[in-house]
Amino acid sequence: MKIISAEFMTSAVNGKQFPNSADPEFAFIGRSNVGKSSLINSLLNRKKLVKTSATPGKTQMINFFSVNDRMIFTDLPGYGFAKVPDDVKRKWQNLVEQYLINRENLRAVVLLLDIRRKPTDLDLHMKQWLEEINVDHILVATKSDKLKQNERSKQLKKIREAFVDDNETRLIPYSSKDNLGRKELWTLLGERLA
Ligand SMILES: Nc1nc2c(ncn2[C@@H]2O[C@H](COP(=O)(O)OP(=O)(O)OP(=O)(O)O)[C@@H](O)[C@H]2O)c(=O)[nH]1
Ligand SMILES: [Mg+2]
């Protein structure tokens, strides 16, 4: 995908603030610190469009980005970060649920997993819940540059065993550092644009 334009649209802390647009939309979701914001920057060839941080829990709202004036990317707050107070956690959870259930132009969710870690119960619940509410999802294993090639294959296999129950579902190894997997992920997004 050639990126002609990528612009921040708005941040939302509740459903009323979601932008009114019918453009096909893709959401990026996963644990705190898994690399959601970095992945969006990598896909859009922008170093700093989306704020990233070594401190988990950085993204606390849903941020909307308009891409090529024809689709929208959303960066969701990460889940599973222990240091967030319970009431804040509940607020994020409500926001994300509201968004995933009601957003009519949502075409797919990109679900991110850290390639170095075994998926958690929260990851598994998110995946099962997306299936229940009939939202299409694409699986990505982030931070692949942190492992050597043989370790990478081993981890991908482990993640598959824990997370995917068929042989067809793709699990794309990605690195936002060197853009590994960028083309493959764009192909899957492109298929869902039409
Ligand atoms: N080596 C490497 N580091 C990465 C990669 N992706 C993200 N990181 C680093 O991981 C940390 C978290 O990245 P973010 O993109 O901010 O993660 P996030 O999922 O948006 O985090 P929250 O907004 O807190 O939920 C940052 O220090 C990034 O530089 C990657 O592909 N390779
Ligand atoms: Mg973030």
Side-chain angles (χ1 to χ4, degrees), residues 32-38 52-53 57-59 143 145-146 176:
S32 244
N33 207 243
V34 71
K36 299 173 290 296
S37 303
S38 305
T52 64
S53 168
K58 183 74 192 170
T59 312
K143 308 193 185 184
D145 58 279
K146 297 219 184 212
S176 299

Side-chain angles (χ1 to χ4, degrees), residues 29-41 50-60 75-79 81 92 112 116 141-146 174-179:
I29 199 165
R31 284 175 66 89
S32 244
N33 207 243
V34 71
K36 299 173 290 296
S37 303
S38 305
L39 177 75
I40 295 177
N41 283 332
V50 192
K51 279 195 203 87
T52 64
S53 168
T55 318
K58 183 74 192 170
T59 312
Q60 310 193 349
D75 189 17
L76 303 192
Y79 50 78
F81 178 47
W92 291 5
L112 283 69
R116 299 165 299 171
T142 61
K143 308 193 185 184
S144 290
D145 58 279
K146 297 219 184 212
Y174 204 99
S175 164
S176 299
K177 214 172 146 195
D178 50 27
N179 287 340

